[in-house]
Amino acid sequence: QVQLVESGGGLVQPGGSLRLSCTASGGTFSISVMGWYRQAPGKERDLVATITSRGTSNYADSLKGRFTISSDHDKNTVYLQMNSLKPEDTAVYYCKAIIKFYALGPEYQYWGQGTQVTVSS
């Protein structure tokens, strides 16, 4: 069974940086897209950034310039480098992957369990 495991969250002061990682494992598959979403208390889960298997990235407009998504296909891993963090970036960050188990098969969506990021002095 496919699992996504996130790491790298924690407590950071305003203006600081964090790097999140998410690795997909559990079987033979190809990943079409991986991405990061976040959910603050009392709010909906929102897009942070996505990256395709070809390396095309997409960001929430408000996060461009501070956050950078990257991936390592050999390791089935996606990263999120977060700089100049602000208190409003505080949220649970979730990793998502769109996966195929064979070339002409359907796509399936998987989510990680989430990692807490808290920006506070």
Side-chain angles (χ1 to χ4, degrees), residues 23-24 44 97:
T23 299
E44 295 184 350

Side-chain angles (χ1 to χ4, degrees), residues 1-5 22-34 53 72-77 96-103 106-108 110:
Q1 184 173 353
V2 175
Q3 288 187 319
L4 302 183
V5 178
C22 171
T23 299
S25 64
T28 302
F29 50 81
S30 62
I31 298 175
S32 302
V33 182
M34 292 191 84
S53 59
D72 184 334
H73 291 291
D74 291 339
K75 296 181 179 179
N76 289 331
T77 299
K96 185 176 87 170
I98 306 297
I99 287 173
K100 284 187 173 184
F101 294 97
Y102 49 98
E107 292 183 329
Y108 296 89
Y110 291 88

Side-chain angles (χ1 to χ4, degrees), residues 51-108:
I51 187 165
T52 70
S53 59
R54 296 186 177 183
T56 301
S57 58
N58 177 55
Y59 295 89
D61 288 341
S62 62
L63 301 177
K64 289 179 181 177
R66 293 195 299 122
F67 289 16
T68 303
I69 191 169
S70 60
S71 62
D72 184 334
H73 291 291
D74 291 339
K75 296 181 179 179
N76 289 331
T77 299
V78 65
Y79 306 96
L80 184 69
Q81 178 67 42
M82 304 184 293
N83 298 327
S84 302
L85 283 162
K86 305 175 182 180
E88 51 264 43
D89 295 317
T90 295
V92 178
Y93 284 70
Y94 295 92
C95 173
K96 185 176 87 170
I98 306 297
I99 287 173
K100 284 187 173 184
F101 294 97
Y102 49 98
L104 300 180
E107 292 183 329
Y108 296 89

